[in-house]
Amino acid sequence: MSVLKGSVSFFLIVINTLICFVPVMVLALCKCVMPFASVRAVLNVILDRIATLWIGINNLNQRCLGKAVLDVSGEKDFSLNEWYMVTANHQSWVDILILQRLFNRRIPFIKFFLKRELIWVPFIGLAWWALEFPFMKRYSPALLQKRPELKGKDIEITKRACDKFQHFPVAIMNFLEGTRFTTKKHAQQSSQFKHLLMPKAGGLSFALNAMDGKLHQLIDVTIVYPDGIPSFFDYLCGKVSEVKIHARAMPIENTLLGDYQNDAEYRAYFQQWVNELWRQKDQRIERMTKSEKTK
């Protein structure tokens, strides 16, 4: 029965995606042929509303066919008119569905920084472009050593891609671990954290600096699955009874902005700040896990 429920839920997500994909593509083509700032601004609002509707329908699907209850603690007052950086521990693709359930219509539509090469992914790349997902151009240390004139160009390119966010609120998502947690990856890293992989401070610094100080608040989300880390299909099948979530918001101070590649003092400071953020998250996961075991 649970497999049938999961199959129906997945089918509904696919149908919802295809239905929403059509107007997104039409509007994307309109942006190509009418690249005027005023027109793009109107189209961007419509596109974000389509994406928000898509998430809302998926959320309804999850509530009706899944049985996961979100046990949310911490900060609960957010705004659609604020600029946010969102970060969370990463264990499963389910994390994205949980974040969408938690924040849809509570903060601006969440966007991800993507590698520039992904814009060429058939259909989806165009949808990401249409939805104004920022594409990053990163240069490897080896290339920078050969061509030192490229230093700082990646930030400049991404900043230009983020210029559109200067005029309307946005939420940017960044998984600091860079990949999903597994015990194997944890052991390979010899991570100093019990429940987390080592955070990649450089990626977060790059995102904050690309937004040129426009992001005002950091939302730090901690996700715990008391029944064990689920697969995407397990979640759709209703095999996840509860998800424990803690959210906290903190201001993004100017001291968190700087040249991560070339300023050793700033890099050390930012790494220390990120490690402290992760240490607190690790302790919170431990408390959330223990509280579940004592029930």
PDB file of all heavy atoms in Angstrom, residues 139-175:
ATOM      1  N   TYR A 139      36.856  29.697 -11.102  1.00  0.00           N
ATOM      2  CA  TYR A 139      38.125  29.348 -11.722  1.00  0.00           C
ATOM      3  C   TYR A 139      38.938  28.513 -10.744  1.00  0.00           C
ATOM      4  O   TYR A 139      39.033  28.833  -9.552  1.00  0.00           O
ATOM      5  CB  TYR A 139      38.904  30.605 -12.096  1.00  0.00           C
ATOM      6  CG  TYR A 139      38.208  31.482 -13.115  1.00  0.00           C
ATOM      7  CD1 TYR A 139      37.692  32.730 -12.760  1.00  0.00           C
ATOM      8  CD2 TYR A 139      38.061  31.061 -14.436  1.00  0.00           C
ATOM      9  CE1 TYR A 139      37.049  33.527 -13.693  1.00  0.00           C
ATOM     10  CE2 TYR A 139      37.423  31.860 -15.372  1.00  0.00           C
ATOM     11  CZ  TYR A 139      36.917  33.092 -14.998  1.00  0.00           C
ATOM     12  OH  TYR A 139      36.281  33.871 -15.916  1.00  0.00           O
ATOM     13  N   SER A 140      39.537  27.452 -11.232  1.00  0.00           N
ATOM     14  CA  SER A 140      40.329  26.563 -10.381  1.00  0.00           C
ATOM     15  C   SER A 140      41.634  27.244  -9.985  1.00  0.00           C
ATOM     16  O   SER A 140      42.132  28.130 -10.701  1.00  0.00           O
ATOM     17  CB  SER A 140      40.641  25.261 -11.118  1.00  0.00           C
ATOM     18  OG  SER A 140      41.509  25.517 -12.211  1.00  0.00           O
ATOM     19  N   PRO A 141      42.212  26.840  -8.836  1.00  0.00           N
ATOM     20  CA  PRO A 141      43.510  27.404  -8.425  1.00  0.00           C
ATOM     21  C   PRO A 141      44.588  27.207  -9.493  1.00  0.00           C
ATOM     22  O   PRO A 141      45.435  28.078  -9.680  1.00  0.00           O
ATOM     23  CB  PRO A 141      43.843  26.617  -7.147  1.00  0.00           C
ATOM     24  CG  PRO A 141      42.498  26.212  -6.601  1.00  0.00           C
ATOM     25  CD  PRO A 141      41.653  25.938  -7.807  1.00  0.00           C
ATOM     26  N   ALA A 142      44.538  26.066 -10.197  1.00  0.00           N
ATOM     27  CA  ALA A 142      45.544  25.800 -11.236  1.00  0.00           C
ATOM     28  C   ALA A 142      45.429  26.810 -12.372  1.00  0.00           C
ATOM     29  O   ALA A 142      46.431  27.330 -12.868  1.00  0.00           O
ATOM     30  CB  ALA A 142      45.373  24.380 -11.767  1.00  0.00           C
ATOM     31  N   LEU A 143      44.184  27.108 -12.774  1.00  0.00           N
ATOM     32  CA  LEU A 143      43.981  28.084 -13.854  1.00  0.00           C
ATOM     33  C   LEU A 143      44.393  29.481 -13.410  1.00  0.00           C
ATOM     34  O   LEU A 143      44.999  30.241 -14.183  1.00  0.00           O
ATOM     35  CB  LEU A 143      42.520  28.073 -14.297  1.00  0.00           C
ATOM     36  CG  LEU A 143      42.144  29.047 -15.430  1.00  0.00           C
ATOM     37  CD1 LEU A 143      42.956  28.739 -16.685  1.00  0.00           C
ATOM     38  CD2 LEU A 143      40.657  28.991 -15.726  1.00  0.00           C
ATOM     39  N   LEU A 144      44.075  29.820 -12.157  1.00  0.00           N
ATOM     40  CA  LEU A 144      44.441  31.142 -11.647  1.00  0.00           C
ATOM     41  C   LEU A 144      45.955  31.310 -11.571  1.00  0.00           C
ATOM     42  O   LEU A 144      46.462  32.418 -11.758  1.00  0.00           O
ATOM     43  CB  LEU A 144      43.815  31.352 -10.261  1.00  0.00           C
ATOM     44  CG  LEU A 144      42.292  31.537 -10.234  1.00  0.00           C
ATOM     45  CD1 LEU A 144      41.799  31.618  -8.801  1.00  0.00           C
ATOM     46  CD2 LEU A 144      41.886  32.793 -11.005  1.00  0.00           C
ATOM     47  N   GLN A 145      46.652  30.208 -11.318  1.00  0.00           N
ATOM     48  CA  GLN A 145      48.107  30.279 -11.263  1.00  0.00           C
ATOM     49  C   GLN A 145      48.681  30.541 -12.658  1.00  0.00           C
ATOM     50  O   GLN A 145      49.658  31.286 -12.808  1.00  0.00           O
ATOM     51  CB  GLN A 145      48.664  28.966 -10.699  1.00  0.00           C
ATOM     52  CG  GLN A 145      50.152  29.033 -10.391  1.00  0.00           C
ATOM     53  CD  GLN A 145      50.611  27.815  -9.619  1.00  0.00           C
ATOM     54  OE1 GLN A 145      49.896  26.820  -9.508  1.00  0.00           O
ATOM     55  NE2 GLN A 145      51.821  27.877  -9.087  1.00  0.00           N
ATOM     56  N   LYS A 146      48.041  29.950 -13.664  1.00  0.00           N
ATOM     57  CA  LYS A 146      48.493  30.158 -15.038  1.00  0.00           C
ATOM     58  C   LYS A 146      48.075  31.527 -15.557  1.00  0.00           C
ATOM     59  O   LYS A 146      48.798  32.159 -16.323  1.00  0.00           O
ATOM     60  CB  LYS A 146      47.917  29.066 -15.944  1.00  0.00           C
ATOM     61  CG  LYS A 146      48.490  27.680 -15.708  1.00  0.00           C
ATOM     62  CD  LYS A 146      47.858  26.675 -16.668  1.00  0.00           C
ATOM     63  CE  LYS A 146      48.408  25.272 -16.445  1.00  0.00           C
ATOM     64  NZ  LYS A 146      47.761  24.279 -17.349  1.00  0.00           N
ATOM     65  N   ARG A 147      46.884  31.966 -15.129  1.00  0.00           N
ATOM     66  CA  ARG A 147      46.347  33.243 -15.622  1.00  0.00           C
ATOM     67  C   ARG A 147      45.921  34.110 -14.438  1.00  0.00           C
ATOM     68  O   ARG A 147      44.739  34.200 -14.096  1.00  0.00           O
ATOM     69  CB  ARG A 147      45.164  32.974 -16.555  1.00  0.00           C
ATOM     70  CG  ARG A 147      45.507  32.173 -17.797  1.00  0.00           C
ATOM     71  CD  ARG A 147      44.289  32.049 -18.714  1.00  0.00           C
ATOM     72  NE  ARG A 147      43.799  33.371 -19.115  1.00  0.00           N
ATOM     73  CZ  ARG A 147      42.638  33.553 -19.774  1.00  0.00           C
ATOM     74  NH1 ARG A 147      41.874  32.517 -20.064  1.00  0.00           N
ATOM     75  NH2 ARG A 147      42.250  34.775 -20.102  1.00  0.00           N
ATOM     76  N   PRO A 148      46.878  34.728 -13.766  1.00  0.00           N
ATOM     77  CA  PRO A 148      46.580  35.527 -12.568  1.00  0.00           C
ATOM     78  C   PRO A 148      45.639  36.696 -12.829  1.00  0.00           C
ATOM     79  O   PRO A 148      45.018  37.214 -11.903  1.00  0.00           O
ATOM     80  CB  PRO A 148      47.959  36.023 -12.114  1.00  0.00           C
ATOM     81  CG  PRO A 148      48.844  35.878 -13.316  1.00  0.00           C
ATOM     82  CD  PRO A 148      48.316  34.706 -14.067  1.00  0.00           C
ATOM     83  N   GLU A 149      45.508  37.128 -14.100  1.00  0.00           N
ATOM     84  CA  GLU A 149      44.604  38.241 -14.398  1.00  0.00           C
ATOM     85  C   GLU A 149      43.135  37.869 -14.173  1.00  0.00           C
ATOM     86  O   GLU A 149      42.261  38.749 -14.121  1.00  0.00           O
ATOM     87  CB  GLU A 149      44.807  38.710 -15.850  1.00  0.00           C
ATOM     88  CG  GLU A 149      44.257  37.789 -16.929  1.00  0.00           C
ATOM     89  CD  GLU A 149      45.207  36.659 -17.311  1.00  0.00           C
ATOM     90  OE1 GLU A 149      46.246  36.507 -16.620  1.00  0.00           O
ATOM     91  OE2 GLU A 149      44.920  35.953 -18.297  1.00  0.00           O
ATOM     92  N   LEU A 150      42.855  36.572 -14.015  1.00  0.00           N
ATOM     93  CA  LEU A 150      41.475  36.125 -13.789  1.00  0.00           C
ATOM     94  C   LEU A 150      41.055  36.207 -12.327  1.00  0.00           C
ATOM     95  O   LEU A 150      39.883  35.995 -12.008  1.00  0.00           O
ATOM     96  CB  LEU A 150      41.299  34.675 -14.283  1.00  0.00           C
ATOM     97  CG  LEU A 150      41.398  34.443 -15.790  1.00  0.00           C
ATOM     98  CD1 LEU A 150      41.272  32.951 -16.108  1.00  0.00           C
ATOM     99  CD2 LEU A 150      40.325  35.234 -16.533  1.00  0.00           C
ATOM    100  N   LYS A 151      41.996  36.509 -11.440  1.00  0.00           N
ATOM    101  CA  LYS A 151      41.656  36.590 -10.015  1.00  0.00           C
ATOM    102  C   LYS A 151      40.571  37.641  -9.785  1.00  0.00           C
ATOM    103  O   LYS A 151      40.671  38.777 -10.238  1.00  0.00           O
ATOM    104  CB  LYS A 151      42.896  36.950  -9.194  1.00  0.00           C
ATOM    105  CG  LYS A 151      43.832  35.778  -8.965  1.00  0.00           C
ATOM    106  CD  LYS A 151      44.946  36.131  -7.980  1.00  0.00           C
ATOM    107  CE  LYS A 151      45.830  34.922  -7.712  1.00  0.00           C
ATOM    108  NZ  LYS A 151      46.908  35.249  -6.738  1.00  0.00           N
ATOM    109  N   GLY A 152      39.540  37.248  -9.082  1.00  0.00           N
ATOM    110  CA  GLY A 152      38.448  38.158  -8.765  1.00  0.00           C
ATOM    111  C   GLY A 152      37.386  38.227  -9.841  1.00  0.00           C
ATOM    112  O   GLY A 152      36.296  38.775  -9.613  1.00  0.00           O
ATOM    113  N   LYS A 153      37.669  37.669 -11.038  1.00  0.00           N
ATOM    114  CA  LYS A 153      36.705  37.732 -12.137  1.00  0.00           C
ATOM    115  C   LYS A 153      35.463  36.902 -11.838  1.00  0.00           C
ATOM    116  O   LYS A 153      34.357  37.249 -12.265  1.00  0.00           O
ATOM    117  CB  LYS A 153      37.346  37.243 -13.435  1.00  0.00           C
ATOM    118  CG  LYS A 153      38.431  38.169 -13.993  1.00  0.00           C
ATOM    119  CD  LYS A 153      37.820  39.475 -14.493  1.00  0.00           C
ATOM    120  CE  LYS A 153      38.881  40.346 -15.146  1.00  0.00           C
ATOM    121  NZ  LYS A 153      38.327  41.644 -15.618  1.00  0.00           N
ATOM    122  N   ASP A 154      35.649  35.776 -11.102  1.00  0.00           N
ATOM    123  CA  ASP A 154      34.498  34.928 -10.800  1.00  0.00           C
ATOM    124  C   ASP A 154      33.481  35.671  -9.938  1.00  0.00           C
ATOM    125  O   ASP A 154      32.271  35.604 -10.167  1.00  0.00           O
ATOM    126  CB  ASP A 154      34.935  33.622 -10.116  1.00  0.00           C
ATOM    127  CG  ASP A 154      35.886  33.843  -8.950  1.00  0.00           C
ATOM    128  OD1 ASP A 154      36.225  35.011  -8.671  1.00  0.00           O
ATOM    129  OD2 ASP A 154      36.289  32.852  -8.316  1.00  0.00           O
ATOM    130  N   ILE A 155      33.980  36.429  -8.948  1.00  0.00           N
ATOM    131  CA  ILE A 155      33.081  37.224  -8.105  1.00  0.00           C
ATOM    132  C   ILE A 155      32.393  38.300  -8.932  1.00  0.00           C
ATOM    133  O   ILE A 155      31.186  38.541  -8.786  1.00  0.00           O
ATOM    134  CB  ILE A 155      33.863  37.864  -6.944  1.00  0.00           C
ATOM    135  CG1 ILE A 155      34.232  36.801  -5.893  1.00  0.00           C
ATOM    136  CG2 ILE A 155      33.060  38.973  -6.284  1.00  0.00           C
ATOM    137  CD1 ILE A 155      33.079  36.364  -5.027  1.00  0.00           C
ATOM    138  N   GLU A 156      33.160  38.956  -9.824  1.00  0.00           N
ATOM    139  CA  GLU A 156      32.579  40.015 -10.661  1.00  0.00           C
ATOM    140  C   GLU A 156      31.451  39.477 -11.532  1.00  0.00           C
ATOM    141  O   GLU A 156      30.381  40.078 -11.640  1.00  0.00           O
ATOM    142  CB  GLU A 156      33.668  40.633 -11.548  1.00  0.00           C
ATOM    143  CG  GLU A 156      34.673  41.483 -10.793  1.00  0.00           C
ATOM    144  CD  GLU A 156      35.730  42.047 -11.725  1.00  0.00           C
ATOM    145  OE1 GLU A 156      35.491  42.041 -12.962  1.00  0.00           O
ATOM    146  OE2 GLU A 156      36.790  42.464 -11.243  1.00  0.00           O
ATOM    147  N   ILE A 157      31.669  38.310 -12.156  1.00  0.00           N
ATOM    148  CA  ILE A 157      30.661  37.713 -13.027  1.00  0.00           C
ATOM    149  C   ILE A 157      29.414  37.349 -12.248  1.00  0.00           C
ATOM    150  O   ILE A 157      28.280  37.611 -12.664  1.00  0.00           O
ATOM    151  CB  ILE A 157      31.245  36.462 -13.741  1.00  0.00           C
ATOM    152  CG1 ILE A 157      32.333  36.880 -14.728  1.00  0.00           C
ATOM    153  CG2 ILE A 157      30.145  35.673 -14.453  1.00  0.00           C
ATOM    154  CD1 ILE A 157      33.119  35.727 -15.306  1.00  0.00           C
ATOM    155  N   THR A 158      29.616  36.729 -11.075  1.00  0.00           N
ATOM    156  CA  THR A 158      28.466  36.310 -10.270  1.00  0.00           C
ATOM    157  C   THR A 158      27.736  37.518  -9.694  1.00  0.00           C
ATOM    158  O   THR A 158      26.507  37.507  -9.567  1.00  0.00           O
ATOM    159  CB  THR A 158      28.914  35.356  -9.147  1.00  0.00           C
ATOM    160  OG1 THR A 158      29.684  34.283  -9.715  1.00  0.00           O
ATOM    161  CG2 THR A 158      27.708  34.754  -8.434  1.00  0.00           C
ATOM    162  N   LYS A 159      28.472  38.563  -9.347  1.00  0.00           N
ATOM    163  CA  LYS A 159      27.824  39.787  -8.860  1.00  0.00           C
ATOM    164  C   LYS A 159      26.919  40.387  -9.918  1.00  0.00           C
ATOM    165  O   LYS A 159      25.817  40.851  -9.612  1.00  0.00           O
ATOM    166  CB  LYS A 159      28.881  40.812  -8.423  1.00  0.00           C
ATOM    167  CG  LYS A 159      29.419  40.594  -7.012  1.00  0.00           C
ATOM    168  CD  LYS A 159      30.375  41.701  -6.621  1.00  0.00           C
ATOM    169  CE  LYS A 159      30.842  41.522  -5.180  1.00  0.00           C
ATOM    170  NZ  LYS A 159      31.793  42.585  -4.785  1.00  0.00           N
ATOM    171  N   ARG A 160      27.381  40.359 -11.154  1.00  0.00           N
ATOM    172  CA  ARG A 160      26.542  40.878 -12.238  1.00  0.00           C
ATOM    173  C   ARG A 160      25.282  40.029 -12.390  1.00  0.00           C
ATOM    174  O   ARG A 160      24.193  40.548 -12.653  1.00  0.00           O
ATOM    175  CB  ARG A 160      27.326  40.912 -13.551  1.00  0.00           C
ATOM    176  CG  ARG A 160      28.366  42.013 -13.612  1.00  0.00           C
ATOM    177  CD  ARG A 160      28.778  42.300 -15.048  1.00  0.00           C
ATOM    178  NE  ARG A 160      29.410  41.163 -15.673  1.00  0.00           N
ATOM    179  CZ  ARG A 160      30.719  40.917 -15.644  1.00  0.00           C
ATOM    180  NH1 ARG A 160      31.528  41.750 -14.994  1.00  0.00           N
ATOM    181  NH2 ARG A 160      31.221  39.858 -16.247  1.00  0.00           N
ATOM    182  N   ALA A 161      25.439  38.703 -12.188  1.00  0.00           N
ATOM    183  CA  ALA A 161      24.285  37.815 -12.265  1.00  0.00           C
ATOM    184  C   ALA A 161      23.305  38.077 -11.124  1.00  0.00           C
ATOM    185  O   ALA A 161      22.107  37.841 -11.254  1.00  0.00           O
ATOM    186  CB  ALA A 161      24.741  36.352 -12.231  1.00  0.00           C
ATOM    187  N   CYS A 162      23.821  38.593 -10.001  1.00  0.00           N
ATOM    188  CA  CYS A 162      22.994  38.848  -8.823  1.00  0.00           C
ATOM    189  C   CYS A 162      22.451  40.277  -8.771  1.00  0.00           C
ATOM    190  O   CYS A 162      21.711  40.618  -7.846  1.00  0.00           O
ATOM    191  CB  CYS A 162      23.793  38.571  -7.548  1.00  0.00           C
ATOM    192  SG  CYS A 162      24.214  36.838  -7.305  1.00  0.00           S
ATOM    193  N   ASP A 163      22.819  41.103  -9.752  1.00  0.00           N
ATOM    194  CA  ASP A 163      22.357  42.494  -9.752  1.00  0.00           C
ATOM    195  C   ASP A 163      20.843  42.582  -9.730  1.00  0.00           C
ATOM    196  O   ASP A 163      20.257  43.510  -9.157  1.00  0.00           O
ATOM    197  CB  ASP A 163      22.895  43.242 -10.985  1.00  0.00           C
ATOM    198  CG  ASP A 163      24.346  43.664 -10.815  1.00  0.00           C
ATOM    199  OD1 ASP A 163      24.833  43.642  -9.666  1.00  0.00           O
ATOM    200  OD2 ASP A 163      24.978  44.009 -11.825  1.00  0.00           O
ATOM    201  N   LYS A 164      20.175  41.620 -10.345  1.00  0.00           N
ATOM    202  CA  LYS A 164      18.720  41.612 -10.412  1.00  0.00           C
ATOM    203  C   LYS A 164      18.088  41.495  -9.030  1.00  0.00           C
ATOM    204  O   LYS A 164      16.939  41.864  -8.839  1.00  0.00           O
ATOM    205  CB  LYS A 164      18.241  40.473 -11.304  1.00  0.00           C
ATOM    206  CG  LYS A 164      18.689  39.099 -10.822  1.00  0.00           C
ATOM    207  CD  LYS A 164      18.329  37.991 -11.793  1.00  0.00           C
ATOM    208  CE  LYS A 164      19.217  38.008 -13.003  1.00  0.00           C
ATOM    209  NZ  LYS A 164      20.596  37.544 -12.749  1.00  0.00           N
ATOM    210  N   PHE A 165      18.853  40.976  -8.048  1.00  0.00           N
ATOM    211  CA  PHE A 165      18.310  40.801  -6.697  1.00  0.00           C
ATOM    212  C   PHE A 165      18.420  42.066  -5.852  1.00  0.00           C
ATOM    213  O   PHE A 165      18.027  42.071  -4.692  1.00  0.00           O
ATOM    214  CB  PHE A 165      19.035  39.646  -5.982  1.00  0.00           C
ATOM    215  CG  PHE A 165      18.904  38.317  -6.682  1.00  0.00           C
ATOM    216  CD1 PHE A 165      19.975  37.443  -6.731  1.00  0.00           C
ATOM    217  CD2 PHE A 165      17.725  37.949  -7.298  1.00  0.00           C
ATOM    218  CE1 PHE A 165      19.869  36.223  -7.370  1.00  0.00           C
ATOM    219  CE2 PHE A 165      17.600  36.725  -7.943  1.00  0.00           C
ATOM    220  CZ  PHE A 165      18.680  35.865  -7.980  1.00  0.00           C
ATOM    221  N   GLN A 166      18.973  43.112  -6.417  1.00  0.00           N
ATOM    222  CA  GLN A 166      19.105  44.350  -5.669  1.00  0.00           C
ATOM    223  C   GLN A 166      17.769  45.067  -5.523  1.00  0.00           C
ATOM    224  O   GLN A 166      17.618  45.938  -4.672  1.00  0.00           O
ATOM    225  CB  GLN A 166      20.102  45.289  -6.373  1.00  0.00           C
ATOM    226  CG  GLN A 166      21.482  44.674  -6.608  1.00  0.00           C
ATOM    227  CD  GLN A 166      22.198  44.307  -5.329  1.00  0.00           C
ATOM    228  OE1 GLN A 166      22.214  45.076  -4.376  1.00  0.00           O
ATOM    229  NE2 GLN A 166      22.771  43.111  -5.291  1.00  0.00           N
ATOM    230  N   HIS A 167      16.795  44.686  -6.332  1.00  0.00           N
ATOM    231  CA  HIS A 167      15.555  45.453  -6.402  1.00  0.00           C
ATOM    232  C   HIS A 167      14.334  44.724  -5.843  1.00  0.00           C
ATOM    233  O   HIS A 167      13.282  45.336  -5.683  1.00  0.00           O
ATOM    234  CB  HIS A 167      15.284  45.856  -7.858  1.00  0.00           C
ATOM    235  CG  HIS A 167      16.456  46.539  -8.510  1.00  0.00           C
ATOM    236  ND1 HIS A 167      16.901  47.780  -8.105  1.00  0.00           N
ATOM    237  CD2 HIS A 167      17.287  46.135  -9.508  1.00  0.00           C
ATOM    238  CE1 HIS A 167      17.957  48.119  -8.840  1.00  0.00           C
ATOM    239  NE2 HIS A 167      18.205  47.138  -9.696  1.00  0.00           N
ATOM    240  N   PHE A 168      14.471  43.424  -5.573  1.00  0.00           N
ATOM    241  CA  PHE A 168      13.365  42.716  -4.938  1.00  0.00           C
ATOM    242  C   PHE A 168      13.936  41.622  -4.039  1.00  0.00           C
ATOM    243  O   PHE A 168      15.003  41.072  -4.315  1.00  0.00           O
ATOM    244  CB  PHE A 168      12.406  42.128  -5.987  1.00  0.00           C
ATOM    245  CG  PHE A 168      13.038  41.135  -6.924  1.00  0.00           C
ATOM    246  CD1 PHE A 168      13.029  39.775  -6.621  1.00  0.00           C
ATOM    247  CD2 PHE A 168      13.623  41.546  -8.110  1.00  0.00           C
ATOM    248  CE1 PHE A 168      13.596  38.860  -7.481  1.00  0.00           C
ATOM    249  CE2 PHE A 168      14.197  40.631  -8.972  1.00  0.00           C
ATOM    250  CZ  PHE A 168      14.184  39.275  -8.657  1.00  0.00           C
ATOM    251  N   PRO A 169      13.234  41.316  -2.935  1.00  0.00           N
ATOM    252  CA  PRO A 169      13.760  40.366  -1.948  1.00  0.00           C
ATOM    253  C   PRO A 169      13.990  38.975  -2.548  1.00  0.00           C
ATOM    254  O   PRO A 169      13.297  38.555  -3.475  1.00  0.00           O
ATOM    255  CB  PRO A 169      12.667  40.332  -0.880  1.00  0.00           C
ATOM    256  CG  PRO A 169      11.933  41.612  -1.040  1.00  0.00           C
ATOM    257  CD  PRO A 169      11.960  41.917  -2.504  1.00  0.00           C
ATOM    258  N   VAL A 170      14.952  38.272  -1.989  1.00  0.00           N
ATOM    259  CA  VAL A 170      15.293  36.938  -2.468  1.00  0.00           C
ATOM    260  C   VAL A 170      15.833  36.120  -1.303  1.00  0.00           C
ATOM    261  O   VAL A 170      16.322  36.675  -0.308  1.00  0.00           O
ATOM    262  CB  VAL A 170      16.343  37.016  -3.601  1.00  0.00           C
ATOM    263  CG1 VAL A 170      17.686  37.491  -3.050  1.00  0.00           C
ATOM    264  CG2 VAL A 170      16.488  35.688  -4.329  1.00  0.00           C
ATOM    265  N   ALA A 171      15.717  34.806  -1.406  1.00  0.00           N
ATOM    266  CA  ALA A 171      16.334  33.882  -0.453  1.00  0.00           C
ATOM    267  C   ALA A 171      17.268  32.965  -1.236  1.00  0.00           C
ATOM    268  O   ALA A 171      16.867  32.390  -2.252  1.00  0.00           O
ATOM    269  CB  ALA A 171      15.265  33.080   0.286  1.00  0.00           C
ATOM    270  N   ILE A 172      18.515  32.857  -0.788  1.00  0.00           N
ATOM    271  CA  ILE A 172      19.523  32.035  -1.444  1.00  0.00           C
ATOM    272  C   ILE A 172      19.838  30.853  -0.542  1.00  0.00           C
ATOM    273  O   ILE A 172      20.087  31.013   0.656  1.00  0.00           O
ATOM    274  CB  ILE A 172      20.817  32.821  -1.712  1.00  0.00           C
ATOM    275  CG1 ILE A 172      20.534  34.059  -2.581  1.00  0.00           C
ATOM    276  CG2 ILE A 172      21.860  31.931  -2.375  1.00  0.00           C
ATOM    277  CD1 ILE A 172      20.137  33.766  -3.987  1.00  0.00           C
ATOM    278  N   MET A 173      19.827  29.634  -1.109  1.00  0.00           N
ATOM    279  CA  MET A 173      20.109  28.421  -0.335  1.00  0.00           C
ATOM    280  C   MET A 173      21.547  27.974  -0.536  1.00  0.00           C
ATOM    281  O   MET A 173      22.063  27.989  -1.665  1.00  0.00           O
ATOM    282  CB  MET A 173      19.151  27.307  -0.781  1.00  0.00           C
ATOM    283  CG  MET A 173      19.311  26.003  -0.013  1.00  0.00           C
ATOM    284  SD  MET A 173      18.747  26.169   1.689  1.00  0.00           S
ATOM    285  CE  MET A 173      19.912  25.089   2.535  1.00  0.00           C
ATOM    286  N   ASN A 174      22.191  27.582   0.569  1.00  0.00           N
ATOM    287  CA  ASN A 174      23.557  27.076   0.490  1.00  0.00           C
ATOM    288  C   ASN A 174      23.713  25.929   1.491  1.00  0.00           C
ATOM    289  O   ASN A 174      23.581  26.133   2.698  1.00  0.00           O
ATOM    290  CB  ASN A 174      24.568  28.187   0.796  1.00  0.00           C
ATOM    291  CG  ASN A 174      26.012  27.711   0.696  1.00  0.00           C
ATOM    292  OD1 ASN A 174      26.540  27.111   1.628  1.00  0.00           O
ATOM    293  ND2 ASN A 174      26.657  27.975  -0.423  1.00  0.00           N
ATOM    294  N   PHE A 175      23.951  24.710   0.975  1.00  0.00           N
ATOM    295  CA  PHE A 175      24.253  23.578   1.851  1.00  0.00           C
ATOM    296  C   PHE A 175      25.753  23.619   2.132  1.00  0.00           C
ATOM    297  O   PHE A 175      26.561  23.298   1.259  1.00  0.00           O
ATOM    298  CB  PHE A 175      23.865  22.248   1.203  1.00  0.00           C
ATOM    299  CG  PHE A 175      22.373  21.990   1.175  1.00  0.00           C
ATOM    300  CD1 PHE A 175      21.690  21.936  -0.026  1.00  0.00           C
ATOM    301  CD2 PHE A 175      21.664  21.802   2.350  1.00  0.00           C
ATOM    302  CE1 PHE A 175      20.322  21.700  -0.063  1.00  0.00           C
ATOM    303  CE2 PHE A 175      20.296  21.564   2.333  1.00  0.00           C
ATOM    304  CZ  PHE A 175      19.625  21.511   1.122  1.00  0.00           C
TER     305      PHE A 175
END
